[in-house]
Amino acid sequence: MSITRFILLWWLVIFCTGYNALAQGLMIRNYNVKDGLANATVYAAVQDKDGFIWFATPTGVSKFDGKRFRNYAKKDGLTDNDVVKLAADTQGRLWFFTLNGKPSFYANSRIHSEYNDSSLAFNSGSHYMQYAFEGKKGVIWFFNTNNRIVQYNGKKTTYEKGTASGTNLLFLIRNDTIFHPLQNSFHVDGLRDPANPDQKILSLCPYPFDPELTSRVRDHSILVLKNTLYSYTTKDLVCFFNGADWGIKDEISNICLDNDNLWVGTQRTLYYIKDFFKGERKIIKLLDNHNITSLLKDRDGNIWITTFGDGVYNIPYKNFYFSYLDNTNGLYSHSIFSICKDKKNDMLLVGQNAGILNTISGNGTIRQFTIDTASGRNSLISILPYKENQVLIGTDNGLVLFNTATFKAAQLKAVKMLKDVEVSPSGKIRIAAKNQIIALDDYTIGDLDMMITSIACVSDSTYFVGTSNGLYWCSDNKRKLEPSRNDTSRKLSIKDLKWINGYLWIGTSDQGIYVMHGDSMVKHLSSANNLASDICQQLYYDGQDRLYVATNKGVSVIDIHKLAITRNITSNDGLMSDDIRGVYTDDGKLYIATSNGLCYFKGDHLPVDTVPPVIYLSYIRYGDSTYMPGNDFIHLYKRKASFEAEFGTIVFDLPELVEYQYNFSGDTTNGWVTTMSNIIPFPDLQPGSYKLMVRARKYKSDWSKPLNLNVSILPQWYQQWWARGILLLAGLLLILVVLRYIVKRIKQAEKRKTEYNRRIAELEAKALTNQMNPHFIFNSLNSVQHLILEKEEKQALNFLADFATLMRQMLNNSRKSYISLEEEIAFLTRYLELEKIRFAHSFTYHFIMEDTLKDYTIYIPPMIIQPIVENAIKHGLAPKNSSGTLEIRIEMVDDLLYCSVDDDGIGWDKSNSIKSSRLIKHESTALSVIKERLQIIKSFNGSVGKLEIIDKFKSGFGNKEGTLVEILIPIVKML
């Protein structure tokens, strides 16, 4: 709904010829089609049990909560779009009186009619309902335009028997203990009741009333006959309002009783008689040339006025506490700059633009005088009481003395851009104007290089001066502005000053209020301390204990003793504008001058509505669907669907200031989230049970009782615990399969890598074996060469034959990674036989084998023992001068083959010394190759071999000489 527009309608009552008489203005708010109303023609208004205001129009009905209209038409369930009247019963049903005469009502968030409720089926004969009455157990009786009574008992709708002819309206009114009327007034064509001939008719209005008649009017039905009103009882009819006595010639269309006030609507005008039941005789004419169709006072005291073609007017309850003045009801214009009162003459003076002074006498008579006739700016910016029957008026162009008894004005001083006027305790006048200070009839301090804005007298001889560049003080003796000794005050842009009981109150243009005592700044009040605004426009002291601060956002009231803000008064409280120009108090009445008129009221009786608002659930939206409101919402989970709940409040005054708090935790003490939005979204709400609590508060009220909504989002099948268990198990199985596959691939890769490394190691081992073959061949060929040189050809030929056999065996073994132990011993035996021939049988040899070795086929790397045997012969036994012995021992040690080659030659150390003398500094090629082969074997099967060389003479073998070589060989053992 668009922002509600406000209208000020001011109407006058003429009391005196030639003068205006003050009439109370009422701030009236208008709602029309552009605000959401179904039609500009509104026939009736009713408030239902929940607090909504309903309006009947020719194009349906409008339901209003103060902020938004919800419209219903035939497509929403109405039997006809043309709704002429409304009625609300105690069961919470709102009845629609449509032009086709078919009954229907609204309850439980929907419209009930014959289309969805067979109990409402009824042949109306095109006669529509006019009035409704309620009986026991929710039975409803209608009186239609055919003067017949229709009954609805919840089961069916029928004509009441025995009422086929004759006027029965008075019958229903007469029996109001049975037929409780759902409206307070009835239009009749005559007063005589044939069924009650003893009823008296008193046509003379006994005004003013006694309390008994006042109570009677409020408690009984009212009959409207043309332009008179009668209070009805079976005993008598008493006239309590005769329109002719009040100047009303038109027929009365509707009335409203508002406490002691009476509202009377006609087809031309609305009349308001304030304190009618207290004997007040002043009538106020409102909404002239408006056809008033109905009047309603709601539960909060607001007045609703429906019209034919002009929409709905609303007068908020609090506006009855205020009186308003502007150019529509007496003042020259709506812009007001100053205000003061001559208490002796009981005259209110209101200064405006165009040099106009308005005087308002005690009886409300308004007169206007032109005080400043200069062109350009000539507003009356200041009015001060001076001497008896005199006030000082400061205008933009000078200072004027105005006599409140003779209404004569005399200029005291022409001054351009006058800003402020102050009177000392003894009556000395000082003027602040642009860049000069004027002590009237005494001296002038001029041509200052600063803008003078205000002045405050401390005594007859000293005063403070406020400027745009800070605070200064001056005395009549020095006649020179001296800067304040307080550092803060020298930096302020000052708008107004007030000296009160030894304290200087400083109103600034952008920093709020500062309070100085002596040279110390004792207090700073700003918007952070709840000041209405930091932009101060005027300070006004009531002479007792209150300082009023006029700002651009309302009025702040300060307790000068406590140096504290007690309250703020703004347009939200009923002011015509927040742009405040001046304040004045008199006898408890507070006058506030604004840029939009003058507002005055009893300052200590400002109405505050502290009753929390009614909160309701408008709708629930989940995903793309909208659901009717209820206490519980249950729905199957929708993926990525947003849950939204829209709430509303029934607030007819300042609905835009309503605040909401919601809580989704179920904790009433914590977790409240505050928002101005009435739509509460929860995106992608997961399955579960939730409790949504929402509360609201209106301007200055407490929080309402929380409205609870139980939300249950049911899980889909795949979100059930068993489905999740299955999915979890399937996921785990899938992970296991994947992990197994990955591990298998890793193992295969490792296996391939290991096989690859093993193959490389084998090739390296074979390469080392092949590396030893040339060494052996070289030594053997040396032996053949030696035999030939010794002329032992036959022995050389035999040697070559055995060597050839040995070479074939060696070549066969070199192709294998492992050979059997028997093959290795056979190879060693053939080799030793050749070496014996080579060294002329200078040594003997023998093998010692553990018996358990015969039970297994043992495989060892080829050519791993031969190099040790060769070294033993060549470096141990050959250099010996005598015959030597070579012992080869083979046995099992754990899972390794132990082999020792023991000779009684010259020994390892002696052999090395011989090598050193021959400059052979490197280790035997055969031994280094064996060590390297053992390392390679370890790399591809993990078995750890060992080679150790022991010089027996030095290692504790007594006096024995020779070398013992021990080797542990990794083997492959097979049965």
Side-chain angles (χ1 to χ4, degrees):
M1 185 187 73
S2 62
I3 298 175
T4 303
R5 57 191 174 102
F6 286 85
I7 321 175
L8 286 178
L9 300 172
W10 312 101
W11 303 93
L12 307 178
V13 179
I14 305 301
F15 285 94
C16 302
T17 303
Y19 299 112
N20 291 332
L22 177 61
Q24 180 187 32
L26 289 175
M27 187 177 294
I28 304 179
R29 180 184 302 165
N30 178 251
Y31 297 97
N32 220 307
V33 176
K34 74 173 187 178
D35 302 306
L37 190 64
N39 198 296
T41 294
V42 184
Y43 296 131
V46 167
Q47 187 170 31
D48 67 14
K49 189 176 182 179
D50 294 326
F52 294 97
I53 305 293
W54 292 77
F55 302 103
T57 80
T59 54
V61 292
S62 295
K63 176 184 176 184
F64 188 48
D65 64 1
K67 189 174 184 180
R68 189 184 68 172
F69 289 92
R70 168 71 189 276
N71 296 322
Y72 299 86
K74 193 171 181 179
K75 63 182 178 62
D76 302 301
L78 286 179
T79 61
D80 189 0
N81 283 338
D82 205 338
V83 184
V84 294
K85 279 193 176 182
L86 301 166
D89 64 20
T90 59
Q91 306 297 314
R93 296 172 297 193
L94 184 80
W95 292 90
F96 307 116
F97 298 180
T98 55
L99 197 61
N100 63 7
K102 294 182 179 182
S104 60
F105 66 86
Y106 179 90
N108 300 322
S109 301
R110 68 188 184 98
I111 294 176
H112 300 254
S113 67
E114 64 180 5
Y115 305 127
N116 55 25
D117 188 344
S118 60
S119 68
L120 293 168
F122 177 68
N123 183 9
S124 65
S126 298
H127 299 288
Y128 63 86
M129 313 298 183
Q130 293 189 88
Y131 301 104
F133 300 81
E134 186 174 9
K136 295 180 180 179
K137 298 181 181 179
V139 177
I140 301 295
W141 283 272
F142 302 100
F143 184 77
N144 68 10
T145 54
N146 196 29
N147 294 330
R148 298 190 65 183
I149 298 174
V150 180
Q151 183 197 65
Y152 172 78
N153 60 11
K155 297 180 181 179
K156 61 181 179 179
T157 305
T158 58
Y159 279 113
E160 183 71 10
K161 295 180 180 180
T163 60
S165 63
T167 302
N168 292 287
L169 179 58
L170 294 178
F171 166 78
L172 294 169
I173 299 173
R174 183 171 64 250
N175 295 283
D176 58 358
T177 56
I178 301 173
F179 310 107
H180 176 69
L182 298 183
Q183 51 281 310
N184 68 336
S185 63
F186 302 88
H187 284 80
V188 294
D189 296 327
L191 300 176
R192 285 294 176 187
D193 185 359
N196 187 16
D198 296 330
Q199 184 184 41
K200 296 180 181 180
I201 300 175
L202 305 177
S203 300
L204 185 62
C205 295
Y207 193 76
F209 308 133
D210 57 33
E212 184 178 349
L213 180 57
T214 300
S215 177
R216 167 184 164 146
V217 171
R218 290 172 176 163
D219 296 340
H220 291 80
S221 296
I222 297 172
L223 300 187
V224 181
L225 179 62
K226 297 182 179 180
N227 66 347
T228 57
L229 304 177
Y230 291 84
S231 175
Y232 180 92
T233 66
T234 56
K235 180 181 178 181
D236 54 23
L237 280 169
V238 177
C239 176
F240 68 91
F241 181 83
N242 188 337
D245 297 339
W246 296 83
I248 300 176
K249 299 178 181 180
D250 299 316
E251 291 188 3
I252 297 173
S253 58
N254 40 75
I255 66 166
C256 177
L257 306 182
D258 169 26
N259 299 324
D260 291 320
N261 311 319
L262 177 65
W263 297 81
V264 176
T266 73
Q267 293 183 2
R268 293 178 182 272
T269 307
L270 173 65
Y271 297 94
Y272 171 52
I273 307 173
K274 186 177 181 181
D275 294 330
F276 170 77
F277 290 101
K278 290 184 176 180
E280 179 61 57
R281 293 186 177 274
K282 183 185 295 184
I283 187 170
I284 299 175
K285 190 177 181 182
L286 302 171
L287 298 178
D288 201 7
N289 297 321
H290 284 67
N291 186 341
I292 311 301
T293 55
S294 73
L295 296 168
L296 170 69
K297 176 187 176 183
D298 67 22
R299 298 170 194 169
D300 296 329
N302 306 305
I303 300 297
W304 299 87
I305 307 145
T306 66
T307 69
F308 193 96
D310 293 297
V312 176
Y313 291 93
N314 168 243
I315 304 177
Y317 79 96
K318 67 185 180 185
N319 290 344
F320 295 106
Y321 293 84
F322 296 86
S323 294
Y324 305 99
L325 276 176
D326 74 351
N327 58 319
T328 64
N329 64 339
L331 298 185
Y332 172 77
S333 69
H334 63 271
S335 185
I336 301 175
F337 289 90
S338 55
I339 186 169
C340 186
K341 192 170 186 180
D342 182 349
K343 296 183 180 181
K344 178 182 178 182
N345 296 310
D346 192 23
M347 179 182 295
L348 190 68
L349 298 101
V350 180
Q352 298 192 274
N353 57 345
I356 299 299
L357 173 69
N358 300 270
T359 62
I360 306 173
S361 64
N363 63 6
T365 302
I366 302 176
R367 298 180 65 179
Q368 293 168 356
F369 301 90
T370 302
I371 302 300
D372 187 345
T373 59
S375 60
R377 295 182 58 179
N378 56 355
S379 303
L380 307 190
I381 61 175
S382 175
I383 304 177
L384 291 177
Y386 187 46
K387 297 178 181 179
E388 185 176 353
N389 297 332
Q390 292 180 339
V391 294
L392 294 173
I393 300 177
T395 77
D396 285 316
N397 301 293
L399 183 64
V400 176
L401 181 67
F402 183 78
N403 191 302
T404 57
T406 64
F407 299 103
K408 301 294 184 180
Q411 189 178 67
L412 297 181
K413 183 75 173 179
V415 182
K416 285 294 183 183
M417 295 186 67
L418 184 146
K419 295 296 181 182
D420 194 16
V421 179
E422 180 73 314
V423 179
S424 72
S426 66
K428 291 183 178 180
I429 301 173
R430 294 185 173 90
I431 303 171
K434 192 180 177 181
N435 61 348
Q436 58 182 332
I437 300 294
I438 301 172
L440 197 64
D441 301 327
D442 195 356
Y443 63 87
T444 298
I445 305 174
D447 296 328
L448 300 172
D449 59 351
M450 64 190 77
M451 175 65 74
I452 309 300
T453 59
S454 55
I455 191 167
C457 293
V458 177
S459 65
D460 285 333
S461 60
T462 60
Y463 50 92
F464 283 100
V465 176
T467 76
S468 58
N469 296 327
L471 179 67
Y472 293 80
W473 66 277
C474 185
S475 67
D476 291 342
N477 294 329
K478 292 186 176 182
R479 301 184 180 184
K480 180 182 179 182
L481 295 188
E482 300 287 345
S484 170
R485 289 189 286 268
N486 182 275
D487 292 338
T488 301
S489 65
R490 291 200 300 268
K491 302 174 183 178
L492 301 177
S493 176
I494 299 173
K495 190 70 174 178
D496 198 8
L497 297 172
K498 275 292 175 289
W499 176 262
I500 306 172
N501 301 332
Y503 289 80
L504 181 66
W505 294 77
I506 306 171
T508 71
S509 61
D510 58 356
Q511 296 185 47
I513 300 290
Y514 285 87
V515 186
M516 277 186 62
H517 185 64
D519 293 329
S520 301
M521 199 69 73
V522 297
K523 191 71 174 182
H524 178 212
L525 299 173
S526 67
S527 55
N529 310 110
N530 199 36
L531 191 70
S533 172
D534 290 330
I535 300 175
C536 302
Q537 303 193 126
Q538 187 210 43
L539 302 180
Y540 172 77
Y541 176 50
D542 66 358
Q544 298 177 2
D545 54 8
R546 292 178 183 175
L547 178 73
Y548 295 86
V549 183
T551 77
N552 66 323
K553 292 184 179 179
V555 177
S556 290
V557 185
I558 299 176
D559 187 319
I560 64 167
H561 303 298
K562 297 179 180 179
L563 304 181
I565 300 168
T566 58
R567 69 175 180 179
N568 291 320
I569 308 172
T570 69
S571 59
N572 293 332
D573 301 299
L575 297 185
M576 304 162 74
S577 170
D578 283 327
D579 185 15
I580 311 301
R581 305 283 184 73
V583 181
Y584 184 82
T585 61
D586 176 47
D587 194 24
K589 185 175 287 188
L590 185 62
Y591 298 86
I592 298 179
T594 78
S595 59
N596 204 33
L598 176 67
C599 177
Y600 55 99
F601 55 95
K602 287 290 185 181
D604 292 329
H605 296 87
L606 191 67
V608 178
D609 185 5
T610 59
V611 179
V614 175
I615 184 170
Y616 64 92
L617 177 62
S618 296
Y619 70 80
I620 297 170
R621 179 174 291 138
Y622 189 52
D624 298 327
S625 303
T626 301
Y627 302 90
M628 296 299 291
N631 295 327
D632 301 284
F633 177 78
I634 302 174
H635 202 282
L636 199 63
Y637 171 76
K638 290 183 180 180
R639 186 170 176 269
K640 293 185 179 180
S642 176
F643 173 87
E644 284 186 357
E646 179 174 323
F647 293 85
T649 52
I650 304 175
V651 177
F652 302 115
D653 185 40
L654 304 174
E656 66 278 1
L657 298 183
V658 172
E659 288 183 292
Y660 293 88
Q661 280 189 341
Y662 65 91
N663 188 326
F664 217 47
S665 65
D667 184 358
T668 58
T669 57
N670 297 303
W672 290 100
V673 178
T674 303
T675 177
M676 295 298 289
S677 173
N678 63 329
I679 298 177
I680 302 171
F682 295 95
D684 197 18
L685 193 62
Q686 295 300 307
S689 295
Y690 307 90
K691 185 175 183 180
L692 175 60
M693 297 184 294
V694 183
R695 61 187 183 183
R697 69 177 176 188
K698 54 189 175 184
Y699 181 64
K700 292 188 177 180
S701 80
D702 296 326
W703 288 105
S704 66
K705 183 179 179 181
L707 181 66
N708 298 323
L709 175 63
N710 298 313
V711 180
S712 295
I713 304 299
L714 304 178
Q716 296 280 0
W717 67 267
Y718 55 83
Q719 294 175 311
Q720 301 283 356
W721 67 268
W722 53 268
R724 291 186 173 182
I726 292 173
L727 291 174
L728 180 61
L729 183 59
L732 290 175
L733 290 175
L734 180 61
I735 291 172
L736 289 175
V737 169
V738 173
L739 289 177
R740 184 177 180 183
Y741 174 75
I742 293 173
V743 170
K744 183 178 179 181
R745 291 291 301 273
I746 292 173
K747 285 184 177 180
Q748 289 176 346
E750 289 294 328
K751 184 177 180 180
R752 288 194 297 270
K753 183 178 179 182
T754 303
E755 182 64 23
Y756 176 75
N757 291 335
R758 186 187 68 79
R759 184 61 181 163
I760 290 176
E762 288 180 352
L763 293 174
E764 289 178 350
K766 288 181 180 181
L768 291 173
T769 301
N770 293 333
Q771 183 180 349
M772 292 192 299
N773 292 339
H775 182 264
F776 169 71
I777 293 169
F778 176 78
N779 290 336
S780 298
L781 291 176
N782 282 340
S783 299
V784 173
Q785 183 183 16
H786 175 73
L787 292 173
I788 293 173
L789 291 175
E790 293 295 328
K791 305 297 183 179
E792 297 180 3
E793 290 84 356
K794 184 178 181 180
Q795 191 172 1
L797 290 173
N798 291 334
F799 186 89
L800 284 173
D802 290 338
F803 176 72
T805 302
L806 186 64
M807 285 298 297
R808 281 195 299 273
Q809 189 174 1
M810 183 182 67
L811 289 174
N812 289 332
N813 292 344
S814 66
R815 296 189 186 97
K816 302 176 182 178
S817 297
Y818 289 91
I819 62 172
S820 66
L821 182 60
E822 289 80 359
E823 290 176 321
E824 180 71 11
I825 292 174
F827 176 79
L828 289 175
T829 301
R830 186 168 279 107
Y831 169 74
L832 287 171
E833 289 298 328
L834 289 175
E835 290 292 82
K836 284 181 67 176
I837 296 172
R838 179 184 168 196
F839 290 103
H841 301 283
S842 61
F843 68 90
T844 60
Y845 69 91
H846 60 275
F847 288 90
I848 302 175
M849 291 183 63
E850 190 177 15
D851 292 338
T852 57
L853 294 176
K854 299 175 181 179
D855 299 332
Y856 302 96
T857 300
I858 297 173
Y859 293 89
I860 63 174
M863 296 293 290
I864 198 165
I865 300 177
Q866 185 272 337
I868 301 174
V869 174
E870 182 180 350
N871 274 345
I873 296 172
K874 183 177 179 180
H875 301 296
L877 297 177
K880 188 177 179 180
N881 295 326
S882 59
S883 176
T885 303
L886 181 65
E887 180 183 282
I888 302 170
R889 178 182 296 276
I890 300 174
E891 60 186 36
M892 288 293 296
V893 177
D894 296 328
D895 289 330
L896 298 174
L897 182 69
Y898 171 79
C899 177
S900 65
V901 178
D902 188 1
D903 67 76
D904 58 355
I906 64 174
W908 179 259
D909 289 342
K910 190 173 181 180
S911 173
N912 285 335
S913 63
I914 293 172
K915 292 177 184 178
S916 299
S917 64
R918 295 176 182 175
L919 301 177
I920 302 174
K921 297 181 180 181
H922 55 80
E923 187 179 335
S924 169
T925 300
L927 295 179
S928 64
V929 168
I930 290 171
K931 289 180 179 180
E932 191 170 353
R933 288 184 68 193
L934 290 175
Q935 285 297 114
I936 292 173
I937 293 170
K938 176 184 177 182
S939 69
F940 67 78
N941 65 9
S943 299
V944 181
K946 182 180 179 182
L947 176 67
E948 186 176 4
I949 302 171
I950 303 171
D951 190 304
K952 293 192 291 184
F953 182 79
K954 297 182 67 177
S955 299
F957 284 82
N959 294 324
K960 292 183 179 182
E961 291 186 342
T963 304
L964 174 65
V965 179
E966 295 179 330
I967 183 172
L968 289 174
I969 306 170
I971 64 173
V972 176
K973 183 169 66 173
M974 297 181 64
L975 292 175

